[in-house]
Amino acid sequence: MDENNQGLQWSHIEPLCILRALARQLWMLLLAALTCAMAAWIVLTCFVTQQYTSSTTFSVTTRTSNLYYTNITAAADVAASYSQLLQSRVLRQTMEQNLGMPLNGAVTAQQLGETNLIRVTVTADTPRQALVLLKAVSDNYGSLSAHVSSTAVLSQLNSPSLSVAPSRSYNVPKICLMAAIAGAALTALGVAWASVSSGTVQTQEGARSDLDAKIISTVPHEGRRTRKLLGWFDDRRRERRARRGGKRLRRNLNISSPAISFAFTESIHRIAEKFQHEHAKGRRVFLFSSVSAAEGKSTLAANTAISLASRGVNVLFIDLDLRRPVQSEMLGLSVKQKNELGTLLTESAAPEKILSAAVTDPATGLHSLLSTKSYTDVIELLASDQLAKVVALARERYDYVIIDSPPLGFFSDSELLSDLSDASVLVVRQDTVPAPEINDAIDALRAGKAEFLGCILNDMAHLAAWSSGYGYGYGKKYDKYGYGQHSARKTQ
């Protein structure tokens, strides 16, 4: 690994991915806020006691002099000595014996500014405790003053009064709110750090640095507005098909729809251009795969097939994700049971019969071999000689054969299909799979007979529009066929 790949690379981090992670973990933030607020409330109400304060004021005079400044000096000396005396264990024990009860509280004496006045303050857990302790001090102030100074005379100016309000109170709602905010903030920092350190592909720069493959194309994210428009068009198509007894359509991204953005369509055409370039080298069968589910592999495979078919060439699209076939719904095509690909493979039908079962879309001219239900014996079907003969015959009859395969991270189906293909590509969705797992999948595809062409970055979104790098040509770092500069890992 080179020096550029060491440590945290800010160019590999997309702020929008952090915001998405926070949105996905919003329940965790709310739970942390609620937990911290409840903890603060429990501590304040059960373990923290409020304090009550009672005080009285004494004046200090000297027997030897009536000068004001002398009284001030004496008050300062008495306040310091008096405070130490009030805190002594012997005096407290004497007062407790006289009262017949423990005195739980703190007693302090403080000079009031540059005066001859001393304020004695008692702080306790209850108003009664504070008043009782202060009265004990007041009742014994004469004898206490004799211990403090032989010349100073203390005169009590006011009688102790009962404290009606706590001197140290807590705004429980405010503290609970602050605890909730702090808990949510700390949890948000944890989620953000987990997103930053996840090692997933979040930016084009990160993909070029962390993946051991070329970047064929970067497919941008299609926003809510596009999906709403797609919903409107699909509703209209659904009404027309419902009148003919057709099947309901899913709302999927299809470059045949006028609601699709120019950037998305051009990124698909770029993939098709790459396949045309490879076709000139004699390659006709192309395999689409991904590491995990929901990375957009099926969407990109179908749209690439449509893009090629729109150029006037014969294209056969084969849905071999037999565990989770979705292409019949994505393309909006009806498939009869007798023409269902999985059924034909199970029945070991002749290759000519299987190819003749392909459904043709009149709008695009695309030929498709589709499945409509899931199968359990997928390995046997994909590893059979029957499928190999079908692909070999399709290679002779069609200009292009596009295969949609299952995710590599779950099954080994793509590795089997790679041996039947001429070239393969790996779809990588933004912030979905860690780069090491993607590189393992790349190694698995390279181990097959098919030529591994590179990765397609899918659903790439950016918080700032100027940082996306989209537009015609997709930035300066891509050549005519979408190749991007990359950094390969050093093998041991």
Side-chain angles (χ1 to χ4, degrees), residues 3 8 12 24 70 111 115 141 149 151 182 229 242 282 284 298 302 317 325 343 350 359 376 430 460 464 469-470:
E3 295 180 356
L8 186 63
H12 298 180
R24 289 194 299 267
T70 305
Q111 183 183 13
T115 66
Y141 78 88
S149 174
T151 60
L229 288 174
R284 295 193 174 190
S298 298
F317 182 51
T343 301
V359 181
T376 57
Q430 183 184 43
M460 298 294 287
Y470 294 131

Side-chain angles (χ1 to χ4, degrees), residues 57-268:
T57 305
F58 294 91
S59 65
V60 180
T61 58
T62 60
R63 293 186 178 94
T64 59
S65 176
N66 292 326
L67 296 177
Y68 181 70
Y69 72 88
T70 305
N71 295 335
I72 293 177
T73 304
D77 296 337
V78 169
S81 303
Y82 203 58
S83 179
Q84 295 179 0
L85 179 63
L86 292 174
Q87 297 298 329
S88 67
R89 182 181 301 177
V90 176
L91 178 60
R92 183 175 289 273
Q93 290 177 350
T94 302
M95 296 171 63
E96 290 178 351
Q97 290 176 0
N98 294 336
L99 294 174
M101 60 179 293
L103 297 176
N104 297 321
V107 184
T108 59
Q110 183 180 11
Q111 183 183 13
L112 298 180
E114 297 294 329
T115 66
N116 66 328
L117 301 180
I118 295 176
R119 174 171 293 171
V120 178
T121 304
V122 176
T123 303
D125 295 341
T126 64
R128 183 176 180 276
Q129 289 179 349
L131 182 61
V132 169
L133 183 55
L134 184 60
K135 283 186 175 181
V137 174
S138 301
D139 294 341
N140 295 276
Y141 78 88
S143 60
L144 293 175
S145 62
H147 292 284
V148 174
S149 174
S150 59
T151 60
V153 179
L154 273 69
S155 302
Q156 189 172 9
L157 300 182
N158 61 317
S159 59
S161 59
L162 181 67
S163 177
V164 296
S167 59
R168 190 178 70 183
S169 59
Y170 301 94
N171 189 334
V172 176
K174 182 178 179 180
I175 294 178
C176 290
L177 178 60
M178 293 176 62
I181 295 174
L186 290 175
T187 305
L189 287 176
V191 173
W193 175 252
S195 175
V196 168
S197 59
S198 63
T200 58
V201 174
Q202 299 182 7
T203 65
Q204 298 178 24
E205 185 67 27
R208 288 190 291 268
S209 174
D210 297 338
L211 301 186
D212 296 349
K214 298 175 182 178
I215 307 302
I216 298 175
S217 180
T218 300
V219 182
H221 171 74
E222 287 290 283
R224 288 184 178 180
R225 182 176 300 179
T226 298
R227 295 185 182 275
K228 288 182 179 180
L229 288 174
L230 284 174
W232 185 87
F233 284 110
D234 284 347
D235 289 341
R236 305 287 79 76
R237 294 171 63 192
R238 188 176 293 112
E239 292 174 0
R240 293 194 296 270
R241 293 184 67 85
R243 288 194 293 266
R244 301 195 301 265
K247 191 176 182 180
R248 291 192 62 183
L249 299 177
R250 295 176 55 180
R251 296 180 180 180
N252 296 287
L253 300 177
N254 191 313
I255 60 173
S256 301
S257 172
I260 296 297
S261 68
F262 174 80
F264 182 88
T265 303
E266 285 301 307
S267 63
I268 297 297

